[in-house]
Amino acid sequence: MTGGYNPNSINALQPSAVTQPKKITPKEAHSVFAESLKNAINNVNEAQVESNKKTEQLAKGEIDNLHDVMITAKKASITLQTAVQVQGKVVDAYKEVMRMQV
């Protein structure tokens, strides 16, 4: 069948079984959120520590690659700024949820 309607081609695109999203309990959601938050804070901290270490090494004369030090410092700065922005959005979302009437 060339150029015509083929119902089998449409059926091939549809999943054979309807999958339902996995339902999680509030406790599981809480632990997943807490773990995600912990990982994000650790990533911010690691970026800050790495930046401080390279800046200190540059000041002591142990390394001489200023570009690498500046890039690391900028990455740490952007990571921290992003974390602060996300924190603000989370606080706004929390306030919005608290204003909802049940």
Side-chain angles (χ1 to χ4, degrees):
M1 191 186 259
T2 318
Y5 171 73
N6 183 355
N8 292 331
S9 64
I10 292 176
N11 290 335
L13 297 175
Q14 296 175 349
S16 60
V18 177
T19 56
Q20 295 291 329
K22 181 185 175 212
K23 295 189 180 212
I24 61 172
T25 65
K27 182 180 179 181
E28 291 171 331
H30 180 269
S31 65
V32 167
F33 180 75
E35 187 65 29
S36 297
L37 186 60
K38 182 180 174 183
N39 289 338
I41 291 171
N42 284 337
N43 289 341
V44 171
N45 186 50
E46 288 172 8
Q48 293 292 325
V49 167
E50 182 69 21
S51 175
N52 289 342
K53 186 170 80 171
K54 286 191 177 192
T55 302
E56 186 177 311
Q57 289 174 338
L58 180 69
K60 289 180 180 178
E62 295 173 358
I63 58 173
D64 60 352
N65 189 349
L66 178 60
H67 296 291
D68 186 40
V69 174
M70 294 305 294
I71 290 169
T72 304
K74 193 63 176 176
K75 283 181 182 178
S77 174
I78 291 170
T79 304
L80 181 60
Q81 289 173 0
T82 302
V84 169
Q85 292 295 320
V86 169
Q87 176 204 11
K89 294 294 181 184
V90 168
V91 169
D92 290 344
Y94 176 78
K95 288 178 181 177
E96 186 68 27
V97 167
M98 296 312 292
R99 278 184 277 199
M100 287 182 182
Q101 298 203 2
V102 180

